Amino acid sequence: MEKTWTLEDVSGRAIEAPYTFYLPSAELIAQLQAGDLIKLIFQCETENDQGCTAERMWVEIITRDGDQFLGRLDNTPRFIPDLHLHDEIAFSSCHIIQSQKDDPIPSLADKYNERCFVTSAVLQDRRPVNMLYREALDAEDIERRFSGWSLVAGDETDEYCDDAKNWHFVSLGAVLNIDDKFRSLIDLPFTHEVEYLWNEQTKMFEEQPLAD
């Protein structure tokens, strides 16, 4: 049977979405050796009943030569016809999406997984964040992993903001993938409710006085 699958080079995904797509760090990759389990994405020309054309599966490393690996498939493929449990797989570090070893470098995807409110102007129209507001959290907010941040483009009208359809509750990382110039602000510990506005002349966010 002609080969129907290829391994995905996942390095491109991390470049496109560094704050939501986890990749093992170079330090972790350097630690990998025979016997370790890693996960690869197998892309297939055949589409299954659910419309999927890829499977993520574990592979046990057999040998390593620098950046090149030989492994043994540790999962049974669900729909790739010419791939079977224990098949040998040759791959490179650029194909590794996950490892069962603990990563010594904290993941950006994990760090910015808390949720925020963001307008469609930013999330869907991919406009930069020019205004952000941080509020205090209650027990319910903490339970739903709300960060306290609301992010807007800055020129949305009151009517626009009053329409719930124009708001989304997503991870901070999803917004940082679009615009990350406010990252240093969300890294600050909470001290008080605060609003920041982007100053185009100084290229900096400035704290705004809050109405009583």
Side-chain angles (χ1 to χ4, degrees), residues 123-195:
L123 189 67
Q124 296 182 345
D125 299 339
R126 303 186 72 81
R127 296 179 57 197
V129 173
N130 289 320
M131 182 182 294
L132 57 163
Y133 172 75
R134 190 178 197 179
E135 61 188 273
L137 302 178
D138 58 25
E140 182 180 348
D141 291 330
I142 295 173
E143 178 68 22
R144 62 177 178 160
R145 295 188 56 76
F146 178 38
S147 65
W149 288 103
S150 295
L151 314 173
V152 301
D155 58 0
E156 295 92 337
T157 64
D158 290 341
E159 181 181 5
Y160 179 97
C161 291
D162 287 341
D163 188 345
K165 294 180 181 178
N166 293 324
W167 288 93
H168 307 268
F169 192 59
V170 300
S171 71
L172 286 165
V175 185
L176 287 167
N177 283 335
I178 299 169
D179 175 23
D180 66 357
K181 69 176 182 288
F182 61 93
R183 177 180 167 184
S184 62
L185 297 178
I186 62 176
D187 286 341
L188 295 173
F190 178 83
T191 56
H192 60 286
E193 294 192 346
V194 62
E195 180 180 295

Side-chain angles (χ1 to χ4, degrees), residues 15 25 53 91 116 201:
I15 293 174
S25 66
T53 57
F91 60 96
C116 65
Q201 292 184 332

Side-chain angles (χ1 to χ4, degrees), residues 34-51:
D36 289 335
L37 286 172
I38 54 86
K39 186 172 282 188
L40 309 175
I41 298 179
F42 295 80
Q43 295 182 319
C44 184
E45 300 171 358
T46 305
E47 185 175 297
N48 70 358
D49 295 339
Q50 288 74 44

Side-chain angles (χ1 to χ4, degrees), residues 79-148:
F79 65 91
I80 300 179
D82 56 325
L83 195 57
H84 307 91
L85 178 67
H86 297 154
D87 278 358
E88 290 191 353
I89 310 294
F91 60 96
S92 302
S93 60
C94 65
H95 300 124
I96 300 173
I97 190 175
Q98 190 176 346
S99 167
Q100 287 193 327
K101 298 174 71 73
D102 291 333
D103 200 323
I105 305 299
S107 163
L108 287 178
D110 288 340
K111 180 177 181 179
Y112 298 110
N113 192 41
E114 286 188 327
R115 269 38 186 173
C116 65
F117 287 105
V118 60
T119 60
S120 296
V122 175
L123 189 67
Q124 296 182 345
D125 299 339
R126 303 186 72 81
R127 296 179 57 197
V129 173
N130 289 320
M131 182 182 294
L132 57 163
Y133 172 75
R134 190 178 197 179
E135 61 188 273
L137 302 178
D138 58 25
E140 182 180 348
D141 291 330
I142 295 173
E143 178 68 22
R144 62 177 178 160
R145 295 188 56 76
F146 178 38
S147 65

Side-chain angles (χ1 to χ4, degrees), residues 33-40 42 57-63 69-77 83-91:
Q33 57 187 341
D36 289 335
L37 286 172
I38 54 86
K39 186 172 282 188
L40 309 175
F42 295 80
M57 291 184 282
W58 291 103
V59 173
E60 180 183 355
I61 298 174
I62 300 173
T63 61
F69 298 81
L70 181 66
R72 183 181 298 108
L73 189 62
D74 199 51
N75 290 127
T76 299
L83 195 57
H84 307 91
L85 178 67
H86 297 154
D87 278 358
E88 290 191 353
I89 310 294
F91 60 96

